[in-house]
Amino acid sequence: MSVNKAILVGRLGSNPDVKRFDNGDLMAVISVATGEKWTDKKTGDRRETTEWHRVVLNGKLAEIAEKWLRKGMQVYLEGKIATRKWTDNQGIERYSTDIRASQLVMLGSANDNSPEQSNQSYHQPMQAQGNQQAVYQPNVMPSPSTSMQRAVSDDMPF
């Protein structure tokens, strides 16, 4: 048995990059920042690091991303890790590791800076199932508690 599951809570670094294909399919790529803060034990200085994640959304999730997601918004994402390989224009093999999203929860707008504001925002999960069709499923996952949102927002780098 094996498991390939990624869970992210972070903020969008830019608006979604949406691509429409000739067959009608839709794909959105978002950049999500997650951060960590700690105190250096030797110096006592506060330290911070930010990790950027490339997240791919397909089908209905891509439509939702295009319509609702904006730079700075906080999101909860679930998906799986996928590595792809391609050859660039100079003939060099390149690799990219992405998160292929299967669930998206909008935790607040780009202007929400407090947990209380984002707690009143849209919290219903959007989940892709089967062949990447998105299905609205209320109560798939409970909304994050205010204490969880406060802990998460305290850790965000912006």
Side-chain angles (χ1 to χ4, degrees), residues 30-94:
I30 58 175
S31 181
V32 178
T34 58
E36 183 178 359
K37 293 181 183 179
W38 70 95
T39 302
D40 186 303
K41 290 181 181 179
K42 292 181 182 177
T43 66
D45 294 340
R46 290 288 293 158
R47 301 275 186 211
E48 181 177 338
T49 185
T50 301
E51 190 72 35
W52 288 95
H53 311 275
R54 185 178 190 269
V55 180
V56 179
L57 304 105
N58 292 309
K60 188 70 173 170
L61 291 180
E63 288 178 33
I64 292 164
E66 179 179 42
K67 185 174 181 179
W68 296 102
L69 296 185
R70 295 294 172 259
K71 179 180 179 177
M73 288 183 73
Q74 188 178 38
V75 293
Y76 169 96
L77 294 154
E78 284 188 26
K80 65 181 183 176
I81 300 168
T83 302
R84 59 189 178 94
K85 174 182 162 182
W86 76 96
T87 305
D88 70 11
N89 295 339
Q90 289 78 34
I92 300 170
E93 285 187 352
R94 302 284 184 177

Side-chain angles (χ1 to χ4, degrees), residues 9 78 122 140:
V9 176
E78 284 188 26
Y122 186 77
V140 168

Side-chain angles (χ1 to χ4, degrees), residues 67-132:
K67 185 174 181 179
W68 296 102
L69 296 185
R70 295 294 172 259
K71 179 180 179 177
M73 288 183 73
Q74 188 178 38
V75 293
Y76 169 96
L77 294 154
E78 284 188 26
K80 65 181 183 176
I81 300 168
T83 302
R84 59 189 178 94
K85 174 182 162 182
W86 76 96
T87 305
D88 70 11
N89 295 339
Q90 289 78 34
I92 300 170
E93 285 187 352
R94 302 284 184 177
Y95 295 87
S96 175
T97 301
D98 306 331
I99 307 296
R100 300 281 176 172
S102 60
Q103 187 172 354
L104 162 67
V105 180
M106 293 173 269
L107 298 178
S109 73
N111 296 326
D112 290 344
N113 292 323
S114 73
E116 290 74 22
Q117 287 175 320
S118 59
N119 195 32
Q120 296 174 18
S121 299
Y122 186 77
H123 286 291
Q124 298 302 327
M126 304 293 178
Q127 187 166 6
Q129 293 182 339
N131 63 357
Q132 291 299 313

Side-chain angles (χ1 to χ4, degrees), residues 140-154:
V140 168
M141 177 190 94
S143 296
S145 68
T146 302
S147 60
M148 178 186 150
Q149 287 179 334
R150 185 172 291 115
V152 170
S153 62
D154 287 347

